[in-house]
Amino acid sequence: MNLKGLSQILGMSQTTVSRALNGYPEVSEKTRKKILAVAAEHNYSPNVRAKSLATGRTNTIGHVILTGDRHQMINPIFGDFIAGAGEVYSAENYEIALSIVKEADEEKTYRALKTRGTVDGVVLHGPKMNDTRIGLLQELGLPFVVHGRASGIASDYSWLDVNNTRAFQRATEFLIDLGHRRIALFNGFEGMDFAHRRRLGYEKALQAQDIRLDPAIMRSEEMSDSNGYAATQDVLSLPNPPTAILTSSIISAFGVRRAVQDHGLEVGRDVSIITYDDGLSYLANGVDVPIFTATRSSVREAGQLLSQMLIDQINGDVTGPQSKLLEAELTVGQSTGPAPSPK
Amino acid sequence: MNLKGLSQILGMSQTTVSRALNGYPEVSEKTRKKILAVAAEHNYSPNVRAKSLATGRTNTIGHVILTGDRHQMINPIFGDFIAGAGEVYSAENYEIALSIVKEADEEKTYRALKTRGTVDGVVLHGPKMNDTRIGLLQELGLPFVVHGRASGIASDYSWLDVNNTRAFQRATEFLIDLGHRRIALFNGFEGMDFAHRRRLGYEKALQAQDIRLDPAIMRSEEMSDSNGYAATQDVLSLPNPPTAILTSSIISAFGVRRAVQDHGLEVGRDVSIITYDDGLSYLANGVDVPIFTATRSSVREAGQLLSQMLIDQINGDVTGPQSKLLEAELTVGQSTGPAPSPK
DNA sequence: CAAACTTTTCAAAGCGCTTTGGATAGCGCT
DNA sequence: AGCGCTATCCAAAGCGCTTTGAAAAGTTTG
């Protein structure tokens, strides 16, 4: 069933039917009702390809995420993000076009998204330092919002980020206040902007107390459970192991916790753990009592907010770059305690 | 830059240019070369909407996943699945259309996918017992492959599944052989087909040894970390707690492990744990030594295989329903040991 | 060299929708 | 009745591509 057929059944022109269906005022309420009824009866819904060819709008948002050498995997964080965004997309009648590409094909993918007219806009995931994609998207004229920010990019662009520096500074200060002086940092890839900012916060807090940075207890890698485990094994075997570990994801925090226990140490007494918590639904930080002391900001909520920003931008409801900085909240759980007195 | 513009530059008709670009034989190699060169120079790529309007093909696959009351969240398993599928899609030049919908809107979504012509086919995620979506998709004539199977559906359809019954039977037998008689089962939602089959395997193994089923140590719920933790807390507080726990996902297994330890018990000595492992990249079952004894089948690989099946079906490379049953492998890790002798 | 093919190219129709510019009908006026 | 409105409705063009049916060009033949 298409517009033509429908209009023949109704004995009206395609124009009128189309206008009635799309809520244009040039059609009387009476005929609109009739048209709507007949359309529902034959459960007609317009061919989305034809519609977007005619309007130039696609009502779909592109999400391109990297896979390949380093990131052969899709971060579970994406799942919660897109779940949040999906709510907004449904409400606003947008579709999601998901591209999973190798890093080498990334630029090509964005270009294709533009020239092939597949999407109305994209969300840029995982911004890196000096991220070249931002310039590319600006050049292409494809609306976008960055999930995060990119240090080193001078131009104005839309973004939504968590105050990572502040979050990690506060977390570190919290540990320092508990008497910890030797604090490990298990961070994400240093090329990623968020990891950079988190390290800055950590360093700021340490430097304020004249605590020396020690690269031996600082890591920068994929935030998986096994990496958290391995890194913890490593640092706990050092001659002077850390008394506290600050980690960038609850996923790796679980690995850290396991390694601490496998070392025969008690979490919160021998070794304190504090983590960044994205509020992942499948890996919640406990139910009643938090497992970990954590700086928390829901990535699902970020997905909601960001997708709304992008849609507003596409609809022209706002003009010029918008940005939003979320603050993470520090919740105290069972994984932290006063620094053990040196033996 | 569009076809018209390109053909004007070349001084040829759109027909010839289109044919050259799409590899039709009716154009000489010489002109094809020239056309290709000029196309690349102006980096032309065809408008995908117009193309699909003309051909009736969209070259995109729909994935509709549920959110809402029970499943307010996207299972991390989906991330690995789609990562696997994404590789195939890229190679075959397919796009992914992701729909995140509430359960109530699901049927409407599938219908819309068909009538609006958004996709060439869909993959059906998370089949339930007597799943009505299968009949719907058959009625709609939308090509699909089910990730899993649906007990109770008589008609033939394409699917790819793991032999869940066998996997759980083997796992249970493994525990029985170690002397365990009281084995808890932490399963997924009982409405889900895979959970049903897994329970069947578990029961089969127990019944073969005349071990009575005890609903008090059987759970059926979302396989999150916190549910694993809570369920373990529960059963360990029973007057006669289980000596072994069989769980349906590594995510909940991590929660189980934590609860066992928080109970002051040792995993693999006081309580054995065996889990189903989807081989999630961010939650690997250890690196060198497996953390858990597990029945394992990579969901990423399932994604690759299934998407290829679907594409073959869409391309007409195969006719009639295809199916594939994968076997899970049982790997022994540190989480299991002989049943503790009763005190 | 013309006839009979084969190869190469093209004009135009069509995919299903929106939208412009215009026609028609209905209404209250004078 | 005739005028000027506004409220409705419509025919046709156009979005960017594919594809059919036919023409033009090139190649073999007798």
Side-chain angles (χ1 to χ4, degrees), chain A residues 27-323:
Chain A
V27 50
S28 72
E29 255 341 288
K30 204 175 61 194
T31 53
R32 185 194 306 277
K33 278 238 179 64
K34 192 165 97 195
I35 290 172
L36 248 29
V38 176
E41 181 190 341
H42 293 76
N43 61 34
Y44 165 80
S45 54
N47 181 304
V48 83
R49 307 273 155 172
K51 185 164 182 165
S52 79
L53 181 58
T55 58
R57 288 282 302 270
T58 67
N59 266 57
T60 96
I61 304 288
H63 287 259
V64 4
I65 57 186
L66 282 182
T67 187
D69 356 331
R70 292 200 314 202
H71 304 253
Q72 322 87 316
M73 27 209 188
I74 292 185
N75 198 314
I77 289 170
F78 176 74
D80 271 69
F81 180 90
I82 203 75
E87 291 175 26
V88 175
Y89 291 151
S90 295
E92 301 269 1
N93 267 306
Y94 271 78
E95 319 260 313
I96 303 169
L98 188 59
S99 302
I100 297 168
V101 299
K102 295 199 196 69
E103 193 154 6
D105 296 336
E106 212 183 359
E107 180 174 339
K108 206 175 63 188
T109 303
Y110 282 109
R111 286 193 185 279
L113 246 30
K114 170 67 181 186
T115 60
R116 309 177 70 186
T118 348
V119 300
D120 290 339
V122 299
V123 0
L124 183 49
H125 291 279
K128 303 189 258 281
M129 308 270 308
N130 304 304
D131 202 302
T132 54
R133 292 173 295 175
I134 291 173
L136 172 64
L137 288 172
Q138 286 173 330
E139 175 200 326
L140 291 174
L142 198 56
F144 68 98
V145 176
V146 180
H147 183 205
R149 272 175 291 177
S151 306
I153 300 290
S155 65
D156 241 15
Y157 55 90
S158 292
W159 53 264
L160 175 140
D161 200 3
V162 173
N163 195 337
N164 281 301
T165 304
R166 173 92 72 91
F168 271 57
Q169 184 176 354
R170 283 183 68 196
T172 309
E173 285 168 357
F174 181 82
L175 291 169
I176 293 174
D177 288 348
L178 283 170
H180 294 276
R181 289 299 174 270
R182 196 148 169 76
I183 302 170
L185 173 68
F186 294 169
N187 207 351
F189 274 124
E190 185 63 42
M192 306 295 278
D193 188 73
F194 80 89
H196 173 72
R197 290 180 195 269
R198 289 177 179 183
R199 182 165 57 73
L200 250 41
Y202 165 83
E203 291 178 353
K204 213 186 279 185
L206 291 186
Q207 280 158 0
Q209 301 293 327
D210 280 324
I211 303 173
R212 195 176 55 82
L213 294 179
D214 182 1
I217 54 173
M218 293 168 70
R219 288 288 190 289
S220 168
E221 52 193 8
E222 194 72 74
M223 302 176 297
S224 67
D225 174 87
S226 29
N227 280 341
Y229 185 86
T232 306
Q233 293 277 36
D234 279 4
V235 298
L236 290 183
S237 308
L238 290 174
N240 52 347
T243 63
I245 297 175
L246 174 53
T247 185
S248 233
S249 160
I250 201 164
I251 302 177
S252 46
F254 278 115
V256 170
R257 188 179 195 279
R258 241 178 38 248
V260 168
Q261 293 176 332
D262 284 2
H263 240 260
L265 300 173
E266 191 175 315
V267 171
R269 193 193 61 190
D270 304 317
V271 180
S272 285
I273 304 175
I274 183 164
T275 186
Y276 185 89
D277 175 18
D278 292 284
L280 303 182
S281 37
Y282 271 80
L283 290 164
N285 188 13
V287 192
D288 306 319
V289 191
I291 304 167
F292 298 106
T293 297
T295 52
R296 181 181 185 285
S297 177
S298 161
V299 70
R300 181 195 188 90
E301 203 181 307
Q304 295 173 333
L305 295 170
L306 191 150
S307 52
Q308 191 64 63
M309 283 171 68
L310 181 53
I311 289 175
D312 289 348
Q313 187 173 322
I314 291 171
N315 288 344
D317 295 345
V318 300
T319 72
Q322 309 286 117
S323 61

Side-chain angles (χ1 to χ4, degrees), chain B residues 12-209:
Chain B
M12 306 192 205
S13 77
Q14 297 189 35
T15 313
T16 309
V17 178
S18 169
R19 285 193 162 141
L21 259 26
N22 290 309
Y24 282 80
E26 294 95 336
V27 50
S28 72
E29 256 339 290
K30 204 175 60 192
T31 55
R32 185 193 307 276
K33 279 239 178 61
K34 190 164 98 195
I35 289 172
L36 249 28
V38 176
E41 181 191 338
H42 292 75
N43 58 33
Y44 166 81
S45 55
N47 181 305
V48 84
R49 307 272 155 172
K51 185 165 182 166
S52 79
L53 182 58
T55 57
R57 288 282 302 271
T58 67
N59 267 58
T60 96
I61 303 289
H63 288 258
V64 4
I65 57 185
L66 282 182
T67 186
D69 355 332
R70 293 200 315 205
H71 304 254
Q72 325 85 316
M73 26 209 188
I74 293 185
N75 198 314
I77 288 170
F78 175 73
D80 271 69
F81 180 90
I82 203 75
E87 291 175 25
V88 175
Y89 291 151
S90 295
E92 301 269 2
N93 266 307
Y94 271 78
E95 319 260 314
I96 303 169
L98 189 58
S99 301
I100 298 168
V101 300
K102 295 200 197 68
E103 192 153 8
D105 296 336
E106 213 184 357
E107 179 172 338
K108 206 176 63 188
T109 302
Y110 283 110
R111 287 192 184 278
L113 245 31
K114 170 67 181 187
T115 59
R116 309 178 70 186
T118 347
V119 300
D120 289 338
V122 299
V123 0
L124 183 48
H125 291 279
K128 302 189 257 283
M129 308 270 307
N130 304 304
D131 202 303
T132 54
R133 294 173 294 176
I134 291 173
L136 173 64
L137 288 172
Q138 287 173 330
E139 174 201 327
L140 290 174
L142 198 56
F144 68 99
V145 176
V146 180
H147 182 204
R149 271 175 291 176
S151 305
I153 300 289
S155 65
D156 241 16
Y157 56 90
S158 292
W159 52 265
L160 175 140
D161 200 3
V162 173
N163 195 336
N164 281 301
T165 304
R166 173 91 72 91
F168 271 57
Q169 184 176 355
R170 283 183 67 197
T172 309
E173 287 168 355
F174 181 81
L175 290 169
I176 293 173
D177 288 349
L178 283 169
H180 294 276
R181 289 297 173 272
R182 196 148 169 76
I183 302 171
L185 173 68
F186 294 169
N187 207 350
F189 273 124
E190 185 63 41
M192 306 293 281
D193 188 74
F194 79 89
H196 174 72
R197 291 181 195 269
R198 288 177 181 184
R199 182 165 58 72
L200 251 41
Y202 165 81
E203 292 178 354
K204 213 186 277 184
L206 291 186
Q207 281 157 0
Q209 302 293 326

Side-chain angles (χ1 to χ4, degrees), chain B residues 222-244:
Chain B
E222 193 72 73
M223 302 175 297
S224 67
D225 174 86
S226 28
N227 280 340
Y229 185 85
T232 306
Q233 293 278 38
D234 279 3
V235 300
L236 290 184
S237 308
L238 291 174
N240 53 346
T243 63

